[in-house]
Amino acid sequence: MAILLSMKPHLMEHWRRALLAVDPTLEIRMFPESGPPEEIEVAVCWTSHDMNELRRYPKLKLIVSMGAGVDHLLRPPGPPPGIPVARLVDTMLTTQMGEWVLLNVLRFHRQDLEYRAQQRDRVWEELEAPVTAARRVGILGLGELGSHAAKLIAGIGFPVGGWSRRPKTVPGVESFHGQDGLDALARRSDILVCLLPLTPETRGVIDARLLALLPRGAFVINGARGGHLVDADLLAALDQGRVAGAALDVFQPEPLPAEHAYWTHPGVVMTPHAASITIPESAAPQVVENIRRVREGRVPINLVDFAAGY
């Protein structure tokens, strides 16, 4: 029985080597060279793979999604019915996202946009020093990524609040939940960070209504999915001065069209969905563990809960 890899061509050989380093006995195929369909038992794939194509494999036992987010699997037609899907919960992914969030929190807190503008204009002017304890950070989403980022930011002295669907306790973080909690978090967030899973309930959560609740001159950071953010509402808030700046790693669609206003907006800092990138050597042991589990008839780890949407 074989493992099917399907992702960007330049990544497949990297993944093949990483998986074989953990278990040299694995039989690995690289899409589209999948061989006889009845020999495929596990598919390791990313967003570009056609879910209909996976219905060709009669003995498929597991799909591994190569990332923490699984919103791409919720789109029709979805994965083959009855086949468990595992996502990656990897320490390197978590660490990278924490770094990216911290980078942008500090970028806005330490007035980097203003100083870069002064550099362009050859202006030598010292701005008033910011106070860390007075800059309140709000994190939307207290899962693996959000909890880590919240603790990281709180650890250097920022007052941090976090919002989740249900009550959660994170040391050093003020907890909010439910619709009332979402509004309360927004009102006390000088920097609002989105690390939510994308579900029907969270799509468009950062809209004109939520942005209007932020303190005037707040900042927005989105490292989750482009669908969380209503672009026109953010651009309007930036142009009106209600929001002072935004750091965005995710967009809808991707790649972002060349004519989009984000490319040239002075208040927007962009990265190309690169905040947290899966490193095969780090994630391979988890994937191999799940391969072993399904072969032994055991339940895989980090299964996607399609009812919850993540």
Side-chain angles (χ1 to χ4, degrees), residues 94-238:
T94 303
T95 298
Q96 288 180 69
M97 184 60 78
E99 291 171 349
W100 183 84
V101 171
L102 181 59
L103 166 70
N104 286 293
V105 166
L106 291 175
R107 180 198 310 280
F108 293 138
H109 176 61
R110 292 306 304 263
Q111 306 150 306
D112 188 61
L113 294 183
E114 292 89 336
Y115 280 124
R116 297 290 70 75
Q118 288 186 185
Q119 180 179 348
R120 287 191 300 270
D121 296 337
R122 294 176 171 80
V123 172
W124 185 278
E125 181 181 344
E126 180 183 288
L127 302 177
E128 183 178 351
V131 179
T132 304
R135 183 85 72 178
R136 301 162 299 174
V137 178
I139 309 284
L140 298 179
L142 288 176
E144 193 78 21
L145 300 180
S147 295
H148 174 75
K151 289 184 283 189
L152 193 65
I153 296 163
I156 59 173
F158 290 98
V160 178
W163 180 85
S164 53
R165 286 196 312 158
R166 294 181 293 272
K168 283 192 175 181
T169 301
V170 177
V173 177
E174 186 179 2
S175 182
F176 299 81
H177 69 279
Q179 184 60 54
D180 290 344
L182 177 62
D183 293 356
L185 177 75
R187 292 188 181 98
R188 51 83 65 208
S189 294
D190 302 306
I191 300 176
L192 183 70
V193 180
C194 182
L195 292 177
L196 287 164
L198 183 61
T199 68
E201 291 73 29
T202 64
R203 183 174 291 277
V205 64
I206 306 176
D207 60 4
R209 190 196 72 84
L210 193 73
L211 292 169
L213 295 177
L214 298 175
R216 187 170 185 84
F219 298 90
V220 173
I221 297 173
N222 188 15
R225 287 292 184 269
H228 288 112
L229 178 62
V230 180
D231 293 333
D233 292 352
L234 176 62
L235 287 165
L238 286 164

